[in-house]
Amino acid sequence: MKSKSKLNLKLNYKRVVIFLTFLWIAFIFARSLKPANQSQMESMWILELFYRLFPFRPSHYFIRKLAHFTEYAILGSFSVPLLKIYFPKRPGFMALLLSAPLGVLTALFDETIQLFVEGRNGEIRDIWLDILGCVTGSLICVILSAVLRKLKNIKIL
């Protein structure tokens, strides 16, 4: 009875991780489907928020690039538990190795979508920034996972 319960828990975990990863990719694509004027208005709202929260005044360009990086860093962080499911022996290494292709494929589709949206354009530098964000997100997740595992072993957690 216990093993069946464990199996169901693993299966549900797997489904949730896969669902959240695809949901996040859909979110990224949905953002790219917005016309330039609508996307720019959202960026301005975030820029205003930055101005209120921080003493420095970033440019609109900086905010847009930060958004790219952040979206893909979150995607990269989702890649770690996703790849742990399929590569349980070496999840950290495989997550770092495979988060780049996940970032590349998603970024290529993302920037291609923008080629067909009014006022938008796909840019190579955004693809590179997206890949960097994806790898950074997975690296942070792998490091945090290793630190938590060490803390558990020395009975701090």
Side-chain angles (χ1 to χ4, degrees):
M1 186 76 165
K2 226 179 194 182
S3 64
K4 189 175 183 179
S5 163
K6 247 185 180 178
L7 183 64
N8 283 338
L9 189 61
K10 275 187 175 181
L11 188 59
N12 286 337
Y13 173 76
K14 186 177 183 178
R15 287 178 181 157
V16 167
V17 169
I18 291 169
F19 175 74
L20 288 176
T21 303
F22 282 108
L23 186 66
W24 191 255
I25 291 171
F27 171 78
I28 290 171
F29 291 166
R31 313 270 315 138
S32 291
L33 286 167
K34 293 185 178 200
N37 59 352
Q38 190 177 356
S39 177
Q40 209 163 16
M41 285 175 57
E42 288 177 3
S43 296
M44 293 305 285
W45 176 84
I46 293 170
L47 191 60
E48 289 296 322
L49 182 65
F50 251 87
Y51 288 170
R52 290 179 185 179
L53 295 176
F54 301 105
F56 64 95
R57 299 210 173 261
S59 68
H60 185 252
Y61 178 82
F62 175 80
I63 291 295
R64 292 189 71 81
K65 297 309 165 190
L66 182 62
H68 266 275
F69 184 85
T70 304
E71 282 178 344
Y72 280 84
I74 293 168
L75 178 62
S77 70
F78 283 149
S79 73
V80 174
L82 180 66
L83 294 167
K84 267 186 180 180
I85 292 167
Y86 295 103
F87 301 99
K89 301 263 191 243
R90 299 193 53 189
F93 173 74
M94 292 308 291
L96 292 174
L97 188 65
L98 296 175
S99 67
L102 177 66
V104 169
L105 288 173
T106 306
L108 284 171
F109 280 108
D110 183 29
E111 294 301 313
T112 301
I113 288 169
Q114 291 181 35
L115 295 174
F116 301 99
V117 177
E118 183 185 333
R120 303 289 296 267
N121 58 340
E123 296 184 11
I124 295 293
R125 66 178 157 215
D126 285 344
I127 292 172
W128 285 106
L129 186 60
D130 298 342
I131 295 166
L132 180 63
C134 197
V135 171
T136 302
S138 64
L139 180 62
I140 289 169
C141 202
V142 165
I143 291 169
L144 284 175
S145 179
V147 167
L148 289 173
R149 203 169 31 258
K150 290 275 187 204
L151 292 175
K152 262 186 173 176
N153 286 342
I154 58 174
K155 307 285 188 244
I156 290 178
L157 291 178

mmCIF file of all heavy atoms in Angstrom, residues 1 9 11 27 34 42 45-46 52 75 79 84 108 116 119 128 137 145 150:
data_model
loop_
_atom_site.group_PDB
_atom_site.id
_atom_site.type_symbol
_atom_site.label_atom_id
_atom_site.label_comp_id
_atom_site.label_asym_id
_atom_site.label_seq_id
_atom_site.Cartn_x
_atom_site.Cartn_y
_atom_site.Cartn_z
ATOM 1 N N MET A 1 0.820 -1.195 0.000
ATOM 2 C CA MET A 1 0.000 0.000 0.000
ATOM 3 C C MET A 1 0.863 1.257 0.000
ATOM 4 O O MET A 1 0.576 2.195 -0.708
ATOM 5 C CB MET A 1 -0.938 -0.055 1.218
ATOM 6 C CG MET A 1 -1.934 1.058 1.233
ATOM 7 S SD MET A 1 -3.222 0.713 0.043
ATOM 8 C CE MET A 1 -4.427 1.852 0.539
ATOM 9 N N LEU A 9 2.430 9.805 -5.663
ATOM 10 C CA LEU A 9 3.049 11.079 -5.319
ATOM 11 C C LEU A 9 4.087 11.477 -6.368
ATOM 12 O O LEU A 9 4.130 12.617 -6.807
ATOM 13 C CB LEU A 9 3.684 11.004 -3.930
ATOM 14 C CG LEU A 9 4.173 12.316 -3.346
ATOM 15 C CD1 LEU A 9 3.015 13.295 -3.191
ATOM 16 C CD2 LEU A 9 4.833 12.067 -2.001
ATOM 17 N N LEU A 11 4.214 10.433 -9.500
ATOM 18 C CA LEU A 11 3.507 10.696 -10.744
ATOM 19 C C LEU A 11 2.868 12.080 -10.716
ATOM 20 O O LEU A 11 2.952 12.829 -11.695
ATOM 21 C CB LEU A 11 2.452 9.611 -10.995
ATOM 22 C CG LEU A 11 1.749 9.638 -12.340
ATOM 23 C CD1 LEU A 11 2.753 9.505 -13.474
ATOM 24 C CD2 LEU A 11 0.735 8.517 -12.406
ATOM 25 N N PHE A 27 3.229 31.356 -21.052
ATOM 26 C CA PHE A 27 3.238 32.738 -20.553
ATOM 27 C C PHE A 27 4.239 33.585 -21.351
ATOM 28 O O PHE A 27 3.921 34.709 -21.770
ATOM 29 C CB PHE A 27 3.588 32.751 -19.059
ATOM 30 C CG PHE A 27 3.831 34.130 -18.506
ATOM 31 C CD1 PHE A 27 2.767 34.966 -18.198
ATOM 32 C CD2 PHE A 27 5.123 34.590 -18.300
ATOM 33 C CE1 PHE A 27 2.985 36.240 -17.687
ATOM 34 C CE2 PHE A 27 5.353 35.865 -17.790
ATOM 35 C CZ PHE A 27 4.285 36.694 -17.486
ATOM 36 N N LYS A 34 1.736 40.145 -27.740
ATOM 37 C CA LYS A 34 1.157 41.478 -27.524
ATOM 38 C C LYS A 34 1.784 42.483 -28.485
ATOM 39 O O LYS A 34 2.997 42.496 -28.668
ATOM 40 C CB LYS A 34 1.391 41.926 -26.086
ATOM 41 C CG LYS A 34 0.634 41.076 -25.102
ATOM 42 C CD LYS A 34 0.774 41.589 -23.718
ATOM 43 C CE LYS A 34 -0.070 40.697 -22.813
ATOM 44 N NZ LYS A 34 -0.384 41.307 -21.573
ATOM 45 N N GLU A 42 3.001 48.210 -20.632
ATOM 46 C CA GLU A 42 3.288 47.360 -19.479
ATOM 47 C C GLU A 42 4.697 47.618 -18.955
ATOM 48 O O GLU A 42 4.916 47.642 -17.745
ATOM 49 C CB GLU A 42 3.115 45.892 -19.847
ATOM 50 C CG GLU A 42 1.674 45.500 -20.033
ATOM 51 C CD GLU A 42 1.501 44.066 -20.474
ATOM 52 O OE1 GLU A 42 2.517 43.334 -20.593
ATOM 53 O OE2 GLU A 42 0.347 43.668 -20.702
ATOM 54 N N TRP A 45 4.768 50.737 -16.864
ATOM 55 C CA TRP A 45 4.224 50.523 -15.531
ATOM 56 C C TRP A 45 5.302 49.954 -14.608
ATOM 57 O O TRP A 45 5.464 50.396 -13.467
ATOM 58 C CB TRP A 45 3.022 49.577 -15.631
ATOM 59 C CG TRP A 45 2.438 49.222 -14.306
ATOM 60 C CD1 TRP A 45 1.522 49.948 -13.604
ATOM 61 C CD2 TRP A 45 2.723 48.080 -13.510
ATOM 62 N NE1 TRP A 45 1.220 49.309 -12.423
ATOM 63 C CE2 TRP A 45 1.949 48.160 -12.339
ATOM 64 C CE3 TRP A 45 3.559 46.977 -13.674
ATOM 65 C CZ2 TRP A 45 1.980 47.190 -11.341
ATOM 66 C CZ3 TRP A 45 3.593 46.016 -12.678
ATOM 67 C CH2 TRP A 45 2.812 46.131 -11.535
ATOM 68 N N ILE A 46 6.071 48.993 -15.111
ATOM 69 C CA ILE A 46 7.151 48.392 -14.320
ATOM 70 C C ILE A 46 8.256 49.417 -14.077
ATOM 71 O O ILE A 46 8.822 49.488 -12.985
ATOM 72 C CB ILE A 46 7.693 47.126 -15.013
ATOM 73 C CG1 ILE A 46 6.598 46.055 -15.000
ATOM 74 C CG2 ILE A 46 8.961 46.626 -14.338
ATOM 75 C CD1 ILE A 46 6.880 44.840 -15.834
ATOM 76 N N ARG A 52 9.823 54.152 -8.031
ATOM 77 C CA ARG A 52 9.321 54.325 -6.662
ATOM 78 C C ARG A 52 10.091 53.491 -5.643
ATOM 79 O O ARG A 52 10.220 53.885 -4.491
ATOM 80 C CB ARG A 52 7.837 53.963 -6.600
ATOM 81 C CG ARG A 52 6.984 54.969 -7.305
ATOM 82 C CD ARG A 52 5.537 54.600 -7.254
ATOM 83 N NE ARG A 52 4.783 55.559 -8.048
ATOM 84 C CZ ARG A 52 3.500 55.505 -8.219
ATOM 85 N NH1 ARG A 52 2.801 54.551 -7.654
ATOM 86 N NH2 ARG A 52 2.893 56.408 -8.954
ATOM 87 N N LEU A 75 12.296 30.138 -16.184
ATOM 88 C CA LEU A 75 12.214 28.919 -17.000
ATOM 89 C C LEU A 75 13.378 27.987 -16.660
ATOM 90 O O LEU A 75 13.187 26.779 -16.508
ATOM 91 C CB LEU A 75 12.218 29.263 -18.492
ATOM 92 C CG LEU A 75 12.181 28.073 -19.451
ATOM 93 C CD1 LEU A 75 10.904 27.267 -19.262
ATOM 94 C CD2 LEU A 75 12.321 28.556 -20.886
ATOM 95 N N SER A 79 13.601 24.037 -15.108
ATOM 96 C CA SER A 79 14.267 22.928 -15.796
ATOM 97 C C SER A 79 14.946 21.973 -14.822
ATOM 98 O O SER A 79 15.078 20.793 -15.115
ATOM 99 C CB SER A 79 15.284 23.451 -16.817
ATOM 100 O OG SER A 79 16.434 23.973 -16.187
ATOM 101 N N LYS A 84 15.469 16.510 -13.127
ATOM 102 C CA LYS A 84 15.698 15.553 -12.037
ATOM 103 C C LYS A 84 14.803 14.332 -12.211
ATOM 104 O O LYS A 84 15.163 13.228 -11.843
ATOM 105 C CB LYS A 84 15.395 16.198 -10.685
ATOM 106 C CG LYS A 84 16.570 16.800 -10.013
ATOM 107 C CD LYS A 84 16.170 17.278 -8.623
ATOM 108 C CE LYS A 84 17.373 17.888 -7.950
ATOM 109 N NZ LYS A 84 17.064 18.372 -6.604
ATOM 110 N N LEU A 108 14.085 30.917 -29.530
ATOM 111 C CA LEU A 108 13.919 30.963 -30.990
ATOM 112 C C LEU A 108 12.444 31.095 -31.368
ATOM 113 O O LEU A 108 12.087 31.913 -32.221
ATOM 114 C CB LEU A 108 14.528 29.723 -31.646
ATOM 115 C CG LEU A 108 16.040 29.698 -31.749
ATOM 116 C CD1 LEU A 108 16.523 28.333 -32.215
ATOM 117 C CD2 LEU A 108 16.542 30.788 -32.685
ATOM 118 N N PHE A 116 5.933 38.383 -36.303
ATOM 119 C CA PHE A 116 4.600 38.438 -36.897
ATOM 120 C C PHE A 116 3.611 39.300 -36.107
ATOM 121 O O PHE A 116 2.425 39.294 -36.387
ATOM 122 C CB PHE A 116 4.043 37.015 -37.054
ATOM 123 C CG PHE A 116 4.910 36.145 -37.913
ATOM 124 C CD1 PHE A 116 5.796 35.249 -37.336
ATOM 125 C CD2 PHE A 116 4.873 36.258 -39.292
ATOM 126 C CE1 PHE A 116 6.609 34.453 -38.121
ATOM 127 C CE2 PHE A 116 5.686 35.465 -40.089
ATOM 128 C CZ PHE A 116 6.559 34.563 -39.503
ATOM 129 N N GLY A 119 4.479 45.912 -34.788
ATOM 130 C CA GLY A 119 5.416 46.759 -34.070
ATOM 131 C C GLY A 119 6.526 46.020 -33.337
ATOM 132 O O GLY A 119 7.380 46.646 -32.723
ATOM 133 N N TRP A 128 20.269 35.511 -27.101
ATOM 134 C CA TRP A 128 21.439 35.277 -26.244
ATOM 135 C C TRP A 128 21.132 35.621 -24.788
ATOM 136 O O TRP A 128 21.530 34.910 -23.866
ATOM 137 C CB TRP A 128 22.646 36.074 -26.739
ATOM 138 C CG TRP A 128 23.259 35.470 -27.957
ATOM 139 C CD1 TRP A 128 23.170 35.930 -29.233
ATOM 140 C CD2 TRP A 128 24.024 34.268 -28.020
ATOM 141 N NE1 TRP A 128 23.832 35.084 -30.086
ATOM 142 C CE2 TRP A 128 24.369 34.059 -29.367
ATOM 143 C CE3 TRP A 128 24.445 33.338 -27.066
ATOM 144 C CZ2 TRP A 128 25.133 32.964 -29.785
ATOM 145 C CZ3 TRP A 128 25.199 32.246 -27.479
ATOM 146 C CH2 TRP A 128 25.536 32.071 -28.824
ATOM 147 N N GLY A 137 19.285 30.792 -14.219
ATOM 148 C CA GLY A 137 18.215 30.299 -13.354
ATOM 149 C C GLY A 137 18.437 28.859 -12.933
ATOM 150 O O GLY A 137 18.252 28.503 -11.765
ATOM 151 N N SER A 145 19.916 23.828 -4.347
ATOM 152 C CA SER A 145 19.595 22.439 -4.070
ATOM 153 C C SER A 145 20.771 21.746 -3.371
ATOM 154 O O SER A 145 20.584 21.015 -2.394
ATOM 155 C CB SER A 145 19.252 21.725 -5.377
ATOM 156 O OG SER A 145 18.956 20.385 -5.157
ATOM 157 N N LYS A 150 23.296 19.697 1.642
ATOM 158 C CA LYS A 150 24.400 19.711 2.620
ATOM 159 C C LYS A 150 23.873 20.061 4.003
ATOM 160 O O LYS A 150 24.268 19.448 4.996
ATOM 161 C CB LYS A 150 25.471 20.729 2.216
ATOM 162 C CG LYS A 150 26.254 20.357 1.005
ATOM 163 C CD LYS A 150 27.395 19.469 1.368
ATOM 164 C CE LYS A 150 28.252 19.268 0.128
ATOM 165 N NZ LYS A 150 29.023 18.069 0.166
#
